[in-house]
Amino acid sequence: GLNGFKPALGVGHPVWVGHAFGWVTPFGWVTPLGGSRPSEVSEPARWRRRVSKVVPVFRPAQQPTAADRARLWLLAAFAMSGLLAFSWLARIPSIKEGLGLSTVDLGIVLLVGSIGALVTVVSAGPLMTRWGTERLFVAATLLMAVGSTVMGVATAATSLWLLVLGIIVQGMGGALVNVSANVESARVERALGRTVIPQFHAIFSAGAVAGSGLGALCSALGIGVAPQFAVVAALGVVLRLAALAGGMVL
């Protein structure tokens, strides 16, 4: 029993609770001298503490910590990164056809864009030290939005050089977003004390699948590259700024 408590076999049976003797009746605890039920049994808090060890529903809900909120917002940011990257990669055939590019020309354009991203990654460390994660993330978000929009406009205007410029700017922004987001994911993992970085990579892949599907759907519906890129870029800006405001950066 609990603290000497011996459960009654039925209503009205005598029981011992600690050093007290009495009966359990439909009207409560009754003792021969009219005393009250002992505090060991009547105190609700003690019962809740004991029951909560067996029944989880009695455990008080914990408020989310700053690290918990940062993890959720980072998941959203990684998902958006995957969607942004692969929604335009899915439209490469449309871009190639719209500008009349050969396979070699398209390869050179993509190579130039990757070189811009590589140079940016090399300089990301000093930039983060100077600006901090938040300002670097904002700048990278705006660069990606501008680059994506310029790429769409270049396709509509059939301008090869404008396309090259858009890919370079978009690649620079994407590189800075990836660096700042991955640095922040390591901070969140340390704050939580458990492995969570694979979750961010998994949600990026889910965003990539969604982005590929979005690009394919827009192509099937005859939606131009320019409006698709502009809308997706705007959504990316809104979500990433909301993530910063919601506490993505610790």
Side-chain angles (χ1 to χ4, degrees):
L2 175 63
N3 292 333
F5 179 81
K6 298 180 180 179
L9 298 177
V11 174
H13 282 266
V15 294
W16 283 94
V17 179
H19 299 289
F21 178 81
W23 289 265
V24 178
T25 72
F27 307 99
W29 177 268
V30 178
T31 68
L33 300 178
S36 61
R37 188 171 182 171
S39 60
E40 297 93 73
V41 176
S42 61
E43 186 179 353
R46 294 199 180 199
W47 281 102
R48 284 196 298 268
R49 284 196 297 269
R50 293 177 184 276
V51 174
S52 65
K53 295 178 181 179
V54 182
V55 186
V57 73
F58 283 91
R59 296 174 184 171
Q62 295 181 351
Q63 294 296 325
T65 63
D68 292 326
R69 290 190 295 270
R71 183 185 69 87
L72 294 177
W73 282 114
L74 267 175
L75 287 172
F78 270 90
M80 180 54 66
S81 293
L83 190 145
L84 283 169
F86 282 80
S87 64
W88 92 262
L89 290 176
R91 299 306 303 269
I92 285 180
S94 300
I95 295 173
K96 179 182 177 182
E97 181 181 355
L99 273 71
L101 300 176
S102 65
T103 303
V104 175
D105 294 336
L106 180 62
I108 294 174
V109 169
L110 296 177
L111 177 63
V112 172
S114 64
I115 292 175
L118 178 61
V119 173
T120 306
V121 168
V122 173
S123 60
L127 289 174
M128 182 168 292
T129 302
R130 182 179 180 85
W131 288 357
T133 304
E134 288 192 18
R135 285 192 288 179
L136 186 65
F137 193 78
V138 171
T141 296
L142 297 179
L143 280 175
M144 283 197 71
V146 171
S148 297
T149 303
V150 170
M151 288 165 56
V153 172
T155 304
T158 63
S159 173
L160 176 61
W161 296 109
L162 195 59
L163 176 65
V164 172
L165 176 62
I167 292 179
I168 291 175
V169 174
Q170 199 264 0
M172 293 170 60
L176 293 177
V177 163
N178 290 336
V179 169
S180 55
N182 280 283
V183 168
E184 198 58 33
S185 67
R187 290 177 182 167
V188 170
E189 186 172 80
R190 286 196 301 269
L192 291 173
R194 66 178 189 273
T195 303
V196 294
I197 289 179
Q199 299 176 8
F200 302 133
H201 296 163
I203 201 70
F204 176 89
S205 299
V209 172
S212 299
L214 175 64
L217 179 62
C218 289
S219 180
L221 295 177
I223 299 174
V225 173
Q228 176 195 330
F229 285 13
V231 171
V232 174
L235 289 176
V237 170
V238 171
L239 187 142
R240 285 172 172 164
L241 293 182
L244 282 177
M248 186 191 81
V249 177
L250 290 178

